[in-house]
Amino acid sequence: MPSVLSSISSLLLVVASCRQSVEAFSSSSNRRQLVSHQICNSALFASRDDGNNSDEDDNSRPIQNNNSQINRREALRSALTGAALATSSTLITQPSTANALSLPNPFTPAYTQSNNGRYIPGKRCTAYLVDTTIPPSLIPYRASREAAILKNLGMGYGTSKAPFIEDDITLNNMMNKAVFGSISAVNNAVGGAGADLARKGENYQSFIFLGANFDDTFTAATAGEEGGDAQLAVGLLEDICKPKERIGNTAIGLSFCPQGCQELLDQYVNGGSENALLEGLKGKGVDEQLTMAHLPILRFAQKKRFPLLALAPELQDLDTVRKGGLQSLDPEKRETYVADAQGFIALTQDPRFKLYTEKSLFKDFRPSSAAVASDEAASKAEQGNYFAEKILVHEACATCISKWAASRPNALVVTIAPIPDVRFLGGINGRVPRISQFLNKDSLVDDEAVTTILLNPNAKETLSESKWLRLEIGTSPGNWAYQTKVADYLWFSSMPKVNMLPRMMNEQ
C-alpha cells in the first residue's frame, strides 16, 4: 500500500511539473504571438495601400494559433506518457508489503497467499482404521466421525474384520439401496426372519482393549498433556460410555492390578478415598509409578460408578512360573486362572498362534543376565519360562473379563493393557471369544465382538525396524493364511508424523 501511495504522489508531481512547463510554453508562445502581432500591425499601418501584404498577414495569424495548440497537446501527451511509464516501472520494481491497512483479496488462491515465511504442516487425522487387506492399509477418519465410531463401539456393534468397501450411493444402486435397505431395516426393527440378532441379547457381550504403554511418545507429548495416554483413554471412554446401553452394564479392566486387589478397587468405586487406594495397591506390591499413570482412568471409573476389574495373576504366582514354569504352580491356583484348560493347551499348537509367538511374543524376551545370554541351554530354558508366564497372564486376564461379562447381557468391558499384550490380536484380546464360548455354549461372542485400539503407538512398539508403523505379521506367501493386523484402530493424541503412516487410503 505505501508503494502505491508513493507512486500516485510521484505521478501527481510529474503532472504538476508538466502543467507548469506547458503554461510556461504557452506564455512564451503568447509573447511571441504578441510580438508578431505588433510587427504585423506596424507593417499594416506603414503600408495600408499594399493590400496583398495585408491579406498575407491576416492569413498568417490563424496558422500560428493552430501551431501553438498542436505544440501544447504534444507536450502534454508526452508528459503524461512519461509519467505513466515511470509509475508502472515503480510498481513493477518495488515489492508490495502487507500491513494492517491492506485488505485480503477473497478471490486469491490459497496457495498464492503469503504466510510470512512460517512453516504450516498439513493437517492429518488422529484416528485410523487398520483395514484387513493384504497387506493391511490405513483408513484415516476425520475428527467429526470419531465420536460416532466410539458410540457404535459403546452400543456393542464391535468391529468388522472384513476389508472396508466404500459403497457410495450411485445411479446404479440407488433403487436397490432404497427398496432392499428399507425392507432390511423394518425386518430388523420387528425381529422378523433374517433379523440381525447377533449383536444383542443375553448371549452377546462386547469387549474393547485399549493398548497403552504410558510412556508419552511423540504424539502424546506433542498434545501438551501430562500422561497423554491416560488422557486419551479417558477421552475415548467418555464417548464409548455415552449410549444408554452402558448404564450399569460396563466395567473397566486393569491388567496391571493383581486379582487380590479387587476388594480395594470395589471400595474405591463405592466412594473410598484415593489415598487409601494408592496405599493399598502399594502394599500389594503394585508398581507405584504405574498406578499414578492410570490415575485419570481410576477417577473416571469412580465418577461414573463403573466397576474396576483386577485382572492379573498374583505377583508371587508369576514369580513361581518365571522360575519353574507352569508345572510348578499350585493346581488350585492354576484352575482359578485357567478355566478352559483344553483350549488353553490346544491354542499353543495353532499355526496362527505359533506365528504370533515367533513374530511378537518372543520379541520382548530379554535374558536375565549376560551369563544366561551366553549359555544357549540356559537362555532357551529361561525363554520357555518367559513364554509360560506371558500366556498365563493373557489367559488369566481373558478369563476374568469373560466371567464378569458372561452373566450380563449386552455387557461391555473396556480393558487397559500394555501394547505388547494386545498387539497383533494374539494376546489377551485373542483369547476372549474362545473362553466366552466355553463359559456359555450359546455365546454369540466372536472375533468381531472384540475391538483393539492402540493409543499413541510408535514404530518400535509395533516391532518395526524403520520409522514406519508395522501393520501386520506374516508377510511371506506361506503365512498369508495366518496374516494378522496389528490392531483394529490406531488412535493418537495429536497429529502423527507423516513418515510413520504406511499405506494410507482416502480420508473418510
Side-chain angles (χ1 to χ4, degrees), residues 46-61:
S47 55
R48 285 184 177 272
D49 296 336
D50 191 359
N52 295 330
N53 293 337
S54 177
D55 293 338
E56 292 177 359
D57 292 336
D58 291 338
N59 292 333
S60 64
R61 279 197 293 267

Side-chain angles (χ1 to χ4, degrees), residues 125-317:
C125 300
T126 55
Y128 297 84
L129 170 69
V130 184
D131 196 13
T132 315
T133 54
I134 299 178
S137 52
L138 290 180
I139 299 178
Y141 282 103
R142 293 185 293 270
S144 58
R145 296 197 59 184
E146 291 182 5
I149 294 171
L150 297 173
K151 288 179 182 177
N152 284 338
L153 295 177
M155 294 175 68
Y157 292 153
T159 302
S160 174
K161 300 302 187 286
F164 175 82
I165 299 176
E166 187 176 359
D167 192 12
D168 294 331
I169 295 180
T170 63
L171 293 177
N172 293 332
N173 61 13
M174 184 180 298
M175 292 304 298
N176 183 37
K177 287 179 176 291
V179 176
F180 295 101
S182 301
I183 294 175
S184 177
V186 174
N187 194 38
N188 288 333
V190 300
D196 184 13
L197 302 177
R199 300 300 172 196
K200 55 185 176 181
E202 62 177 343
N203 295 323
Y204 178 75
Q205 296 84 27
S206 59
F207 306 86
I208 299 175
F209 289 85
L210 302 181
N213 282 352
F214 299 97
D215 52 358
D216 287 346
T217 56
F218 167 77
T219 52
T222 306
E225 302 171 348
E226 184 178 356
D229 288 349
Q231 295 294 337
L232 178 59
V234 171
L236 300 187
L237 287 169
E238 290 281 358
D239 288 327
I240 290 172
C241 299
K242 281 184 179 179
K244 61 181 182 180
E245 290 84 355
R246 302 282 58 86
I247 300 176
N249 208 18
T250 306
I252 298 177
L254 303 174
S255 66
F256 79 99
C257 282
Q259 295 181 9
C261 301
Q262 187 60 55
E263 185 177 355
L264 293 172
L265 297 177
D266 292 340
Q267 293 175 357
Y268 174 73
V269 172
N270 293 328
S273 67
E274 187 174 290
N275 291 332
L277 175 65
L278 297 178
E279 291 296 328
L281 293 177
K282 184 179 179 180
K284 293 286 185 178
V286 180
D287 186 358
E288 186 176 2
Q289 185 177 0
L290 197 57
T291 303
M292 296 302 297
H294 285 78
L295 203 54
I297 301 172
L298 300 176
R299 292 169 178 168
F300 173 83
Q302 185 187 47
K303 177 182 176 182
K304 297 291 185 179
R305 298 290 182 178
F306 290 156
L308 290 169
L309 305 179
L311 305 179
E314 299 297 333
L315 297 180
Q316 59 269 24
D317 295 337

